[in-house]
Amino acid sequence: MAKRLSKSRYTTYCQCPKALWLKVYKPDEATVDASVEARFESGNEVGDLAMGLFGPYVEVTTKHEDGSLDLNAMVEKTKQEMERGTEVICEASLTFESHYCAVDILRKTQGGWAIYEVKSSSFPEFDGQAARLEKYAPDIAYQKWVLTQCGINVTGTYLICLNSDYVRQGELDLQQLFVTVDMRELVENEYLKVPVRVSQALKVINNEAEPDLDLSEHCMKPYRCAFLEYCKQKHGVPTPSVFDIYGGKGRGGFTFAKKLACYQAGQITFEDLRGLSIGPIQNMQIEAALTGREHINPAGIRSFLYKLYYPLYFLDFETMQDAIPQYDGAKVYAQITFQYSLHIKESETAPYQHKEFLAPSDGSDPRRSLAERLCEHIPMNVCTLAYNMMFECGRIRELAALYPDLATHLLNIADHIVDLIDPFRAGDYYVPAMGGSFSIKSVLPALFPNDPELDYHNLDERCQNGGHAMTIFPKIKDMKPAEAAASREALLRYCELDTWAMVKVWEKLKEVAE
């Protein structure tokens, strides 16, 4: 039986034919991280909310007993609703030969129907940058093509996304929350390509032979491909390779495009890359990997340590990120801080103290109580350490803007934060086991490879990383008491390890600087 083409499969083909084939024949080879799954959940939430944007609607989603979509029933329901003249049909499903698409919102207009594609991306209300929108055009163009083949006059093609300028105050305002962008021009350019692409995509999914396509820019454009690791192994890319080189920040960073250029020139292994002027940090990483030697610059580390003074406060935040703002004063995808851990060293000889805060799990806004407690726990003018401090500073400054009566104290804390990542990012301390990453999750096991107390994998499996923390906290309010208590405990121990890890890293820096 010939396989059906959907808009998801079509857009995958537009990025890479091999990715489409793998999606059909080897889906288990996909690598999907927790952040992608979280965005998928957010997309469902946004899509459900957008259904009410144009008033009353009929949703045709229908499922079998096993929970899978009943596409035939959805197509039939869509036909019936269109014949009735229903103004707004959500998940409108149509087929033409072996082609299928579900339109997020199909809206009746004078002389036809308009397509509205809903995405959980966020844009400023009056953003006109076509380059940021063009990646959505193939999806909408395919929908227009299927509808047109079914004899439907498509009168408009639109993208609905979240308004990043919107700040919630009171009840959620759907008209302000969403931005509607007319995609006519971009879709027209893509629409002409659809028939040929459809024909080629069908050949791919109905051919059991795996396409022989090498790594290219499409591995990361417009999205990171879930099959990238599979394809690297398929083409014999070793570990480590050029793709494991530290990327860096800014225009001078060693980007994927630069790594790809090296790969295509046969400069793949670290031996191949040795001697090339890639960048000082990257060259240091290569030498350390090939020789097995640590790189330590005691003078640079001492220069960093001289910035610190007692008492020392080691701070780490945990946040959740809602696509739809849940609280007054919040924007879409705002980082809502709900927890912190704090290790305190009053003097060189004083024992460590630990303080922590975890907001109630009742769905209420956690920010005010957290900000108040933070001001109680961290005095003004003390030295606070954070790892990759832009995150903590950003959250503190947001709290200061939200609560003017606490702003002076909060901003003082932010102004006295020192970044513990600095000596690693500067190349003053590098261990081969870091693997080109300076995140604390890479630095800690590299510096303390055999310490079970510093191994995040030994924590409760409910919370072993920031992604777990971000997703578990908002779910606790719906858990049974025993599970809720265990989840809160898991959050506390995870965040505590984050700041204790900072303590151990600081102690190691002092040790190697002597």
Side-chain angles (χ1 to χ4, degrees):
M1 180 182 293
K3 292 179 171 60
R4 173 177 282 180
L5 190 66
S6 64
K7 68 176 183 179
S8 172
R9 289 181 172 182
Y10 175 80
T11 53
T12 300
Y13 171 83
C14 290
Q15 177 162 345
C16 175
K18 186 174 182 179
L20 171 60
W21 189 91
L22 291 168
K23 188 174 186 177
V24 173
Y25 290 96
K26 294 186 177 182
D28 292 341
E29 296 291 348
T31 302
V32 182
D33 61 31
S35 63
V36 173
E37 292 179 349
R39 286 198 299 271
F40 184 75
E41 289 184 15
S42 296
N44 290 336
E45 180 186 6
V46 171
D48 290 344
L49 199 58
M51 290 181 184
L53 190 57
F54 302 113
Y57 62 89
V58 173
E59 182 185 359
V60 302
T61 301
T62 309
K63 296 184 178 180
H64 294 290
E65 290 184 2
D66 63 1
S68 61
L69 291 175
D70 186 342
L71 301 183
N72 292 331
M74 291 171 66
V75 170
E76 183 59 30
K77 285 185 179 181
T78 300
K79 180 180 178 182
Q80 293 172 1
E81 295 301 330
M82 292 180 72
E83 290 174 349
R84 289 185 186 129
T86 300
E87 292 289 328
V88 180
I89 307 170
C90 296
E91 297 300 322
S93 301
L94 299 103
T95 58
F96 168 71
E97 296 179 348
S98 58
H99 316 296
Y100 166 83
C101 78
V103 180
D104 290 337
I105 301 174
L106 187 63
R107 189 181 185 194
K108 187 174 176 56
T109 63
Q110 185 175 1
W113 298 81
I115 293 171
Y116 291 82
E117 173 70 10
V118 181
K119 296 294 185 184
S120 57
S121 302
S122 61
F123 292 94
E125 187 169 6
F126 301 107
D127 189 291
Q129 299 180 35
R132 298 182 65 196
L133 298 170
E134 61 185 11
K135 64 182 178 182
Y136 304 115
D139 187 332
I140 303 173
Y142 174 78
Q143 295 176 57
K144 179 181 178 181
W145 181 82
V146 171
L147 267 64
T148 301
Q149 298 305 307
C150 291
I152 298 168
N153 183 34
V154 177
T155 57
T157 50
Y158 302 91
L159 175 73
I160 295 174
C161 53
L162 294 168
N163 177 10
S164 59
D165 291 332
Y166 173 63
V167 179
R168 179 168 183 166
Q169 296 295 342
E171 291 297 316
L172 204 59
D173 186 337
L174 294 187
Q175 302 303 321
Q176 294 295 319
L177 175 65
F178 290 106
V179 175
T180 301
V181 182
D182 190 337
M183 296 286 287
R184 180 181 57 83
E185 185 174 342
L186 288 171
V187 169
E188 282 181 355
N189 293 335
E190 281 293 325
Y191 185 77
L192 299 175
K193 306 172 187 176
V194 176
V196 172
R197 284 178 169 174
V198 162
S199 176
Q200 294 171 338
L202 285 173
K203 290 179 181 178
V204 170
I205 63 176
N206 287 294
N207 187 342
E208 294 186 3
E210 181 174 341
D212 184 20
L213 295 176
D214 205 348
L215 304 178
S216 72
E217 63 177 1
H218 298 296
C219 296
M220 298 291 285
K221 183 180 179 181
Y223 307 101
R224 178 186 174 86
C225 180
F227 298 101
L228 177 56
E229 295 307 315
Y230 168 85
C231 287
K232 286 198 293 188
Q233 293 178 13
K234 189 76 174 180
H235 289 285
V237 177
T239 300
S241 74
V242 63
F243 295 107
D244 299 305
I245 295 295
Y246 175 64
K249 303 288 184 180
R251 291 184 179 180
F254 195 52
T255 62
F256 181 80
K258 292 179 180 178
K259 295 176 183 181
L260 187 63
C262 287
Y263 169 79
Q264 292 170 341
Q267 299 162 340
I268 302 171
T269 68
F270 278 19
E271 288 84 356
D272 297 331
L273 297 167
R274 196 175 199 174
L276 299 180
S277 298
I278 297 175
I281 300 296
Q282 290 80 3
N283 290 335
M284 180 186 67
Q285 177 190 353
I286 292 168
E287 284 302 309
L290 292 176
T291 63
R293 292 196 296 268
E294 297 180 347
H295 175 85
I296 302 175
N297 176 18
I301 296 173
R302 285 194 294 270
S303 178
F304 168 77
L305 293 173
Y306 288 152
K307 301 176 184 177
L308 312 182
Y309 52 91
Y310 292 104
L312 286 173
Y313 288 71
F314 298 82
L315 175 65
D316 179 73
F317 285 151
E318 299 301 332
T319 65
M320 58 183 176
Q321 191 174 34
D322 294 318
I324 309 299
Q326 301 297 310
Y327 312 113
D328 285 356
K331 290 187 173 185
V332 301
Y333 290 113
Q335 296 274 5
I336 304 297
T337 310
F338 63 83
Q339 179 183 10
Y340 67 76
S341 173
L342 195 64
H343 273 90
I344 305 168
K345 181 79 166 170
E346 292 284 356
S347 66
E348 187 172 355
T349 58
Y352 289 101
Q353 303 174 51
H354 180 246
K355 297 182 183 296
E356 60 190 5
F357 175 87
L358 177 58
S361 306
D362 56 6
S364 61
D365 189 341
R367 294 172 295 175
R368 175 76 198 193
S369 56
L370 181 142
E372 290 175 342
R373 189 66 63 83
L374 189 69
C375 290
E376 293 174 9
H377 283 165
I378 303 181
M380 295 177 70
N381 301 316
V382 299
C383 183
T384 300
L385 278 162
Y387 205 93
N388 208 1
M389 73 178 198
M390 292 303 294
F391 182 79
E392 272 70 24
C393 285
R395 305 295 77 76
I396 291 173
R397 295 186 189 283
E398 288 166 358
L399 292 171
L402 199 58
Y403 306 117
D405 59 314
L406 302 176
T408 299
H409 196 135
L410 289 169
L411 292 174
N412 182 273
I413 294 173
D415 289 341
H416 289 81
I417 291 182
V418 180
D419 203 333
L420 190 57
I421 201 175
D422 282 351
F424 301 99
R425 191 176 280 159
D428 291 327
Y429 193 6
Y430 186 80
V431 175
M434 291 179 190
S437 172
F438 303 130
S439 76
I440 198 160
K441 299 302 191 295
S442 298
V443 168
L444 189 67
L447 300 185
F448 304 94
N450 300 309
D451 191 337
E453 292 185 357
L454 298 178
D455 188 343
Y456 283 86
H457 294 95
N458 290 333
L459 293 171
D460 187 318
E461 63 180 9
R462 293 176 179 85
C463 190
Q464 296 182 344
N465 56 58
H468 290 164
M470 178 178 288
T471 55
I472 196 174
F473 178 75
K475 295 177 181 178
I476 294 178
K477 67 181 185 299
D478 300 317
M479 295 178 182
K480 294 180 179 180
E483 179 64 18
S487 296
R488 286 182 63 84
E489 181 65 17
L491 277 166
L492 289 169
R493 301 293 71 79
Y494 166 72
C495 198
E496 180 182 12
L497 181 53
D498 268 350
T499 51
W500 185 243
M502 292 166 59
V503 167
K504 300 302 290 184
V505 168
W506 168 69
E507 291 179 344
K508 177 64 76 170
L509 288 173
K510 290 200 302 175
E511 176 187 324
V512 300
E514 293 177 356

